[in-house]
Amino acid sequence: MIPLDIISDPICPWCYIGKVKLDRALETRPDIALDIHWRPFQLNPNMPAEGMDRRAYLEAKFGGPEGARRVYGQIADRARDAGLEIDFEAIPRTPNTINAHRLIRWARVEGKQTEIVTELFQRYFERQEDISDPSVLTDAAVTAGLEGPVVAKLLSGEADIAETRAEDAEARQIGVTGVPTFILGRRYALPGAQETELWLRAFDEITAVES
């Protein structure tokens, strides 16, 4: 199998858009066997544990209401082009994602990472749920096929917090400054929400190299 490391954050709209475009490429190339490993990158590592009002967060990040509207208007257009109808205005809070990343990490053991990531994207962007809430994360885990009581117990403690932060730091140390970043076959680094056509070319190239 060809390894594909995806460095992302479940509150990153470009990560969701990028995943949709990758999924379409995989539908076109069902013969491509990938070992997908979702890896953590917190867009807001210093976010308070309780998160913050999303409007206030965006206005602070993008220089006021007009900057926030301009940037997210462009993102909404790109999401729509990818087939995603997201009401960004309806999302009330920007959460701290350390617990979401812990859940994604645990899902790797059960081979359920992509299922969990998909569930988190949908819950945050389409259902406006707080994916820092342990009850939301536990419910997401059950939907994706994990053991709810086990996940709830893990979330109540500090299991893998240090390891998750260390993996995030490692991504920054190798030069990752934004997400999504895709590393295909440990040789091709593809930053950003790449178009489906680029994925198809990358699959063809790496298949030719490895054959």
Side-chain angles (χ1 to χ4, degrees):
M1 298 181 76
I2 301 169
L4 174 61
D5 292 287
I6 306 177
I7 304 168
S8 74
D9 195 340
I11 62 166
C12 164
W14 293 114
C15 295
Y16 194 11
I17 294 167
K19 179 186 179 298
V20 168
K21 294 182 177 183
L22 169 61
D23 287 344
R24 289 185 183 153
L26 291 173
E27 289 170 4
T28 304
R29 293 281 196 280
D31 55 317
I32 294 291
L34 298 179
D35 177 18
I36 297 177
H37 189 172
W38 292 86
R39 296 186 178 277
F41 188 100
Q42 281 195 276
L43 287 173
N44 309 293
N46 298 317
M47 177 67 66
E50 68 276 11
M52 66 181 293
D53 178 83
R54 189 167 184 275
R55 184 183 297 273
Y57 162 74
L58 292 178
E59 291 180 1
K61 182 174 182 178
F62 296 114
E66 182 58 36
R69 280 193 295 270
R70 183 179 64 256
V71 170
Y72 263 81
Q74 295 169 353
I75 294 173
D77 289 342
R78 290 290 299 277
R80 199 172 297 112
D81 290 343
L84 295 170
E85 289 292 339
I86 301 173
D87 184 358
F88 288 104
E89 292 288 333
I91 302 172
R93 296 186 68 76
T94 297
N96 183 305
T97 55
I98 188 66
N99 283 336
H101 282 298
R102 286 202 292 161
L103 176 57
I104 295 167
R105 180 184 180 89
W106 299 329
R108 171 80 173 171
V109 178
E110 302 294 332
K112 298 286 187 179
Q113 272 197 318
T114 296
E115 289 85 348
I116 283 290
V117 169
T118 302
E119 188 72 15
L120 294 177
F121 279 143
Q122 291 176 348
R123 284 173 182 261
Y124 181 66
F125 287 109
E126 299 178 21
R127 294 156 59 179
Q128 298 88 45
E129 295 184 12
D130 181 358
I131 60 169
S132 68
D133 185 333
S135 65
V136 171
L137 292 174
T138 300
D139 189 60
V142 171
T143 302
L146 300 181
E147 294 290 334
V150 174
V151 169
K153 183 175 181 180
L154 287 169
L155 287 169
S156 69
E158 297 188 358
D160 287 335
I161 289 179
E163 289 82 356
T164 300
R165 287 178 174 152
E167 195 171 356
D168 180 310
E170 180 181 349
R172 298 172 197 272
Q173 288 167 4
I174 65 172
V176 175
T177 58
V179 288
T181 294
F182 304 88
I183 302 174
L184 179 64
R186 300 192 178 94
R187 69 173 72 223
Y188 300 106
L190 306 170
Q194 299 293 339
E195 297 297 331
T196 296
E197 291 74 16
L198 185 143
W199 278 113
L200 296 177
R201 292 198 300 272
F203 292 157
D204 290 342
E205 287 180 18
I206 197 165
T207 300
V209 168
E210 298 200 351
S211 62

